Amino acid sequence: MEAIEDFGRKLKELRKEAGLTQKQLADRLWLKKSTVSYYEQSVHYPSPEIIVKLAGIFHVTTDYLLGIEQKKQTIDVTDLTDEDIELLENAVKILSRKNCPD
């Protein structure tokens, strides 16, 4: 049950950080406000489809929402070219080596 409670807490935190009310989030998901409230209270758990939608809305991974990973930062590369994405990946590798030397 801990993962479900953690999900509800994370959802509420992300919603508030985004400046959304439960009603506004519910409207974006085509759900009732009470459903979002139930998710946040850990009374109900969302379907995989809703989890994917939530990850997109809050720009986090589904693994973060599910408590599998602790980092919530992601980079949205939707409008970048393949070349731009490759540059970013290389920059991440360089920074990782700099910050975590062998």
Side-chain angles (χ1 to χ4, degrees):
M1 287 303 244
E2 187 175 318
I4 292 174
E5 292 168 7
D6 194 40
F7 175 84
R9 181 189 54 74
K10 282 182 184 179
L11 177 59
K12 185 174 185 177
E13 178 184 299
L14 289 168
R15 177 183 58 76
K16 287 186 170 190
E17 285 176 5
L20 294 172
T21 65
Q22 288 181 343
K23 172 82 169 103
Q24 289 168 326
L25 180 57
D27 288 347
R28 289 181 76 172
L29 296 168
W30 293 82
L31 298 171
K32 294 179 181 179
K33 176 192 171 289
S34 61
T35 302
V36 171
S37 177
Y38 291 148
Y39 293 162
E40 289 183 1
Q41 295 173 49
S42 302
V43 174
H44 293 293
Y45 198 68
S47 68
E49 178 184 354
I50 296 297
I51 292 172
V52 169
K53 287 180 180 180
L54 288 167
I57 289 169
F58 296 121
H59 305 290
V60 297
T61 64
T62 55
D63 283 354
Y64 175 77
L65 285 172
L66 296 172
I68 297 169
E69 71 178 32
Q70 298 306 310
K71 293 182 182 180
K72 70 176 182 178
Q73 294 90 2
T74 61
I75 298 174
D76 184 1
V77 295
T78 304
D79 296 327
L80 299 182
T81 65
D82 289 342
E83 184 179 320
D84 293 339
I85 294 169
E86 186 177 344
L87 273 168
L88 283 173
E89 289 171 342
N90 288 332
V92 168
K93 288 176 189 174
I94 291 167
L95 290 170
S96 292
R97 282 193 297 259
K98 175 188 157 255
N99 294 325
C100 298
D102 292 336

